[in-house]
Amino acid sequence: MDLERFGLLQTVVNEGNYKSSVNRFQEENILLPTFEELADPTKIPNPVKEALKQIDPNEAHPLNLFRVHWYNEYGTGGTVDVPQHIVLPSELTGVDAKIVLAFGNRFPMITAHKVLAAYSCFAPRVISGQFNPAHHRAIWPSTGNFARGGIAISTLMRSRGVAVLPENMSQERFDWLDKWVMNPDDIIRTPGSESNVKEIYDACNELEKDESNFIFNQFSEYANHIGHYAVTGRALGHVFETLKANQPQLNLAACTFASGSAGTLAAGDRLKDDYGAKITAVEALECPTMLYNGYGEHNIQGIGDKHIPLIHNVMNTDIVAGISDAATDGLNLVFTTDSGKEYLKSEHQVPAEIVDNLRHLGFSSICNMMASIKTAKELNLGPNDVIMTVATDGSELYESEKAHLMSDKYPNGFTAKDAHEIFTTHVVNADSQHLEILNDVGRNRIFNLGYYTWVEQQGIPVEDFDARRSQEFWHELHKFPPIWDCLLYTSDAADDTPCVDLGGR
C-alpha cells in the first residue's frame, strides 16, 4: 500500500517540511494536542487549561485546538466530566430502548464534530513532514461541516485553507466560511447539493495539478476513521459507562451513524470492539446507495453521497437503514417551533427539559435518532437496551432551511395540527421498512460498490481496495494514535529514549 498517499506514516518523511512546520509553530506559539489528550482532556497540561479560560471557543486562537473534543460544556468555554448528551424517553421515540445522543454542537469554532475529523486528518500529515503550512494550501472537499472544520484547523495552524463544497448547502455554512477564509477565492462552490460528491472530486482533481495544493479527502483519509475510533468511540463509551453506573443492567445493544464520509462510523467499530454493539449505517432514503444501489438528491446535509467511502469498514457493519429527508425537514420544525414544542409536551407528555434540548439536533442528528428508532423496532430492543449515536450539529445551522420550508409549505404559520401530522407520520408510525440486516452477501454487495469510485475513478490499486475486507486491516489502523502522539514530539531522540516535547509544555 502507498502509505504516503493515505497518510499512514510512522516517521518523518520530509525533514525540510517538518523543520519548517516546527519553526512556524514555535514562532506562532502553536501547540498540537495529542490524540490521547483529545480522548481524555484531563490529560491536557494545566498551563493550557488555565490559558483556555481566557480564550473564546469561537476565536481563531491556536489553543482552541485543545478544545477539539467531546468534553466541552455548552455556552461556558469550560469542560465537563462526561460528554454532554441526551437520553430520549419513550414518550418521544415510541420505543422502550434508551436512545442516547452525544451533542456535537459543543465543539469549538464550527459547533459541529467535523472539526475533530479535520484535525485528525491534518495533524498526521504535518508531523510526518508531508504538509508544509508555509508552502501548501490545504484543500478541504466536503458537503459542509468538514470544509468548515478544515478551514478552522488551517487557520489555527496559520495555514491557508480552501473549502470545496456544493453550492446548494445551507446558507449558514457559507456565512461562516465568508468570515473565516483568508481570501474569498478560497471558497469553491461545486454544482449540485448534498449528493453531488463526484463534482467535488472533479474539482479537487483539477486543484491537485498544482503541487502546492494538498487535498484532505475525508472520504479516503484513514486518519478520519482513526481519529473517530480513538476519540469519539471512547467518548461514547464513557457516556454509556456513566449510564450503566446508575443502572448496571444496561446493555449497549447498537449504535447508529449516518454515513457521509463514514468517519463517525469508526466510533461504531470501537463500540463493537468494546461492548459487542451492532452497527447501523444510515443513508437518505432519497439517495439509497447502500440499500438499493440507488441514487438521487436529498436534504439531510452531511450524509449520503452516492458512493461508498473508502474509509467505511463495510464488512463490520451489521444493519443499513434509510431515512427520508421529509422526516428530518419536518421534525426540525416540530423540535424548534413554539407550536411544535408545545404539542410534544401537551400531547405526548415529553418532559419540558427534553423538548428544550431538541434544538441541539440538526438534520443529520434527527436522522440518527430516526434510524435508532427503526433499529430498536427491528431488533425488538427493551428498556435495558441502549442505542448510542451522535447529534453531529444543532438546529442553528439550518435556520435558512427552516425559513424556506416554512415559506413553501406553511406560509400561514406552523400549527399544532401540522406538528401532529409530521410527528405521527414519521415517529408514531415509524416502522422497520427500508432497513436491511446484513449477512456476508449484503456486506460484499455494498463493499463492491466502492470499486467504481475508488479503483476506476480515483485510481486506488485494487489490492489496496480489497485489503479493506479483512478486519485485521482495520485493527492495524487503530494502532496509529500512540504512534502519531509520539511524532508530535521531536524525532531526533534515539529509538530507545522517550519522545521529547516539541512545544515545551
Side-chain angles (χ1 to χ4, degrees), residues 17 19 21 70 78 196 217 276 278 301 353 379 393 409 430 494:
N17 283 341
K19 289 181 178 178
S21 296
W70 287 93
N196 295 93
N217 187 340
K278 292 187 180 298
Q301 299 189 20
E353 181 182 3
L379 299 180
D393 55 27
K409 291 192 174 182

Side-chain angles (χ1 to χ4, degrees), residues 22 25-26 29-32 488-490 500-505:
V22 170
F25 291 171
Q26 289 177 340
N29 294 314
I30 298 171
L31 298 177
L32 304 185
L488 282 165
Y489 303 97
T490 57
V500 180
D501 194 336
L502 254 185
R505 299 183 201 168

Side-chain angles (χ1 to χ4, degrees), residues 399-461:
E399 286 297 317
S400 61
E401 298 293 317
K402 176 181 174 182
H404 291 322
L405 187 59
M406 289 286 287
S407 176
D408 291 344
K409 291 192 174 182
Y410 307 100
N412 297 320
F414 189 77
T415 67
K417 181 180 178 181
D418 298 321
H420 171 79
E421 180 179 338
I422 291 170
F423 193 79
T424 300
T425 299
H426 298 296
V427 180
V428 175
N429 294 334
D431 55 32
S432 55
Q433 278 192 310
H434 307 299
L435 178 147
E436 179 182 354
I437 295 181
L438 298 176
N439 55 20
D440 285 345
V441 173
R443 291 186 181 99
N444 276 294
R445 173 182 59 80
I446 296 171
F447 184 97
N448 292 344
L449 280 178
Y451 174 89
Y452 304 100
T453 296
W454 299 109
V455 178
E456 289 195 347
Q457 293 179 18
Q458 303 304 320
I460 300 293

Side-chain angles (χ1 to χ4, degrees), residues 461-473:
V462 69
E463 296 81 6
D464 292 350
F465 177 82
D466 280 332
R468 301 155 45 255
R469 292 186 196 272
S470 168
Q471 290 312 296
E472 184 58 32
F473 172 87

Side-chain angles (χ1 to χ4, degrees), residues 168-347:
N168 292 325
M169 301 306 290
S170 72
Q171 186 58 44
E172 286 78 7
R173 285 168 164 80
F174 288 107
D175 290 343
W176 186 94
L177 286 168
D178 286 338
K179 296 175 183 177
W180 275 73
V181 294
M182 294 182 180
N183 186 308
D185 292 338
D186 291 341
I187 304 173
I188 298 177
R189 294 168 169 83
T190 55
S193 58
E194 180 58 42
S195 298
N196 295 93
V197 172
K198 171 64 163 56
E199 289 78 0
I200 297 173
Y201 289 160
D202 291 344
C204 287
N205 289 338
E206 284 298 312
L207 288 166
E208 201 167 20
K209 293 176 181 178
D210 182 342
E211 61 86 24
S212 68
N213 289 330
F214 197 104
I215 313 297
F216 289 90
N217 187 340
Q218 61 171 329
F219 304 96
S220 59
E221 282 288 296
Y222 286 115
N224 182 2
H225 171 98
I226 294 166
H228 278 300
Y229 184 94
V231 179
T232 301
R234 189 161 159 184
L236 296 182
H238 189 185
V239 172
F240 173 70
E241 290 293 345
T242 302
L243 297 173
K244 189 175 175 65
N246 294 321
Q247 302 175 72
Q249 74 279 12
L250 291 182
N251 166 56
L252 184 47
C255 50
T256 64
F257 302 101
S259 176
S261 70
T264 317
L265 272 161
D269 289 347
R270 177 68 176 262
L271 296 178
K272 190 171 190 176
D273 286 345
D274 292 349
Y275 301 100
K278 292 187 180 298
I279 302 170
T280 298
V282 191
E283 64 185 354
L285 191 56
E286 287 75 15
C287 186
T289 308
M290 291 184 287
L291 275 174
Y292 304 125
N293 296 7
Y295 50 87
E297 300 287 337
H298 68 91
N299 196 44
I300 310 179
Q301 299 189 20
I303 78 159
D305 307 302
K306 282 192 294 200
H307 78 311
I308 307 301
L310 192 72
I311 65 170
H312 182 180
N313 184 4
V314 174
M315 303 306 289
N316 203 35
T317 300
D318 300 290
I319 300 169
V320 175
I323 300 297
S324 172
D325 64 7
T328 55
D329 284 349
L331 288 171
N332 178 60
L333 296 183
V334 176
F335 292 171
T336 62
T337 60
D338 291 340
S339 54
K341 290 186 285 186
E342 185 56 38
Y343 165 78
L344 292 175
K345 288 184 285 188
S346 62
E347 296 300 319

